Amino acid sequence: MLLSGVLAGGALVAPGPAAAATAAPTAKSPAWVRIAPGVAYRRLDIAARSGPVRAHLLTVDLRDPRVSVGLLYPGSVSARAPLSSLADAAGAVAGVNGDFFDIAETQHPGTEPTGAPVGPVIAAGRQLKGAVPDGQRFGPALPSGTSTREVLGVGEDGTARLGQLVLDGTVSTRSGTLPLRGLNQYALPVGSVGAFTSDWGAASRMRATCGTDTRRAAPCSSRTYEVTVRDGRVVAVATAPGRGLIGPGTEVLVGREAGAAELRKLSVGDRVTVRHRLVDTRSGAAYRFALGGYPVLRDQAPLPGLDEGPGAVRTAAGIADAGHRLLLLALDGAPDFRNGLTVAELAAVMRDAGCVDAFNLDGGGSSTLVTRGREATHMTVRNHPSGGSERAVPNGIGVFSRASGV
């Protein structure tokens, strides 16, 4: 067992059963500190296989009517900012970083990284983006049976859950109806058409036509086409994806290969109807907020095939008490603790902390946990980011309280 107890109602109680693990607990962990009503913070020291690890943990009581959880992001899909800045701007009391993202494009010379996240995104009920193809993702290998469509979120009913959001969309033209295979994504499936809206931001859309469904480093496509639709009519066409802000009431359609050939049939003035929505294939639930990553624990059981090495600094979110409690964890990146945990160890830590389900988020230099107390005007970064300072990230999980303070 990796931790010396499990979480229940904000206190540590007797541990339950746990699967065999290569790490053991230590006893020098400070008590819980109340950040705001329904929100508490604790530091945990763990003896992991690779050496000592320090974890920073938040517990969030979603039953408390003063508490809510939502997406932290800079206002567009393809923008990034340090987590503390995102949390301060949103008025949060705490938070952790979120999804893996398009961080580097050395495989595609001349193509700028977009900074956009891998998985689906919903903020305040607004559906912002769909998932890139599995082969285009950044981050550790996905566990068997999972995909880039996996999300952790909070439903309109106020409970946390894991789900899988699939894009359901069409492009209707005078020639017929095409499937829409992308929404504000840095990578589109081969042969498809994707839509970019005002939620995308100013980043170049060229990256969406690079790589393939199974190989992120594959060259960019030479067969592309872009169509700008405003108020239901084509107002511009181009042979290559462009860049720049997209105005309200405007959608930019980007096609590659067969998708580009279909878009070439359109002319300025043609009527086009673009429809898209994200659908939870498991429950059909409506989400207040959701972001991507991948599950490591379901029904208290680690997923099969979790990566067992090497260790790394990691971030995770866990669900307990039938979705009424959310646990947010980030490891410390200080030199003494930087060896971190394997993904398999991370799953065990989240289970030992009382989680029934748990979700792996972006790690390494992105791992950040922040809090703000009653008298503080700015966020405190509780862990030491492994890069020495906060990395700009595309999104995170924000914790909010209408009555902050102890």
Side-chain angles (χ1 to χ4, degrees), residues 12-332:
L12 288 180
V13 299
T22 57
T26 64
K28 298 178 181 179
S29 296
W32 288 99
V33 176
R34 193 181 188 206
I35 300 300
V39 185
Y41 160 80
R42 187 184 184 188
R43 194 188 75 206
L44 296 168
D45 289 328
I46 303 164
R49 182 177 66 187
S50 60
V53 172
R54 178 158 291 171
H56 301 263
L57 182 66
L58 288 167
T59 174
V60 183
D61 184 359
L62 297 177
R63 289 191 183 93
D64 192 319
R66 297 165 295 183
V67 174
S68 62
V69 178
L71 187 80
L72 300 176
Y73 80 115
S76 62
V77 168
S78 63
R80 293 192 293 151
L83 180 72
S84 60
S85 298
L86 296 176
D88 277 334
V93 297
V96 297
N97 65 288
D99 196 3
F100 302 88
F101 60 96
D102 175 21
I103 191 171
E105 288 297 335
T106 55
Q107 311 99 326
H108 306 117
T111 302
E112 301 172 17
T114 65
V118 169
V121 180
I122 296 176
R126 183 178 179 89
Q127 299 184 348
L128 300 182
K129 75 172 294 286
V132 304
D134 288 353
Q136 291 269 18
R137 65 182 296 276
F138 289 78
L142 287 169
S144 177
T146 66
S147 75
T148 55
R149 297 168 176 175
E150 310 289 341
V151 295
L152 176 139
V154 172
E156 294 294 346
D157 61 358
T159 62
R161 59 172 55 89
L162 302 186
Q164 188 177 78
L165 290 175
V166 174
L167 179 63
D168 174 23
T170 56
V171 178
S172 299
T173 73
R174 67 172 187 265
S175 302
T177 300
L178 306 172
L180 187 72
R181 301 286 303 283
L183 174 63
N184 292 324
Q185 296 168 202
Y186 70 78
L188 295 173
V190 172
S192 73
V193 173
F196 291 82
T197 71
S198 59
D199 291 319
W200 169 250
S204 171
R205 299 176 289 275
M206 178 64 73
R207 173 59 183 86
T209 62
C210 298
T212 67
D213 299 358
T214 58
R215 185 170 167 242
R216 191 179 72 216
C220 300
S221 177
S222 60
R223 293 179 290 154
T224 64
Y225 205 69
E226 183 172 275
V227 172
T228 302
V229 178
R230 184 174 301 124
D231 298 327
R233 287 191 180 274
V234 176
V235 296
V237 297
T239 56
R243 65 180 306 147
L245 294 173
I246 300 169
T250 301
E251 291 148 322
V252 177
L253 301 176
V254 173
R256 56 178 299 178
E257 297 89 32
E262 292 294 333
L263 292 184
R264 285 179 182 275
K265 299 175 183 178
L266 296 173
S267 302
V268 172
D270 284 353
R271 283 197 171 277
V272 176
T273 301
V274 182
R275 181 190 65 82
H276 47 76
R277 63 183 184 130
L278 296 173
V279 180
D280 190 320
T281 60
R282 295 193 177 117
S283 67
Y287 285 84
R288 185 181 302 165
F289 108 93
L291 82 173
Y294 62 87
V296 294
L297 190 71
R298 280 203 182 110
D299 297 326
Q300 294 188 305
L303 269 67
L306 290 180
D307 184 7
E308 295 191 7
V313 178
R314 304 188 190 276
T315 302
I319 299 170
D321 299 345
H324 295 294
R325 185 174 297 276
L326 189 66
L327 289 88
L328 304 176
L329 176 144
L331 300 185
D332 205 291

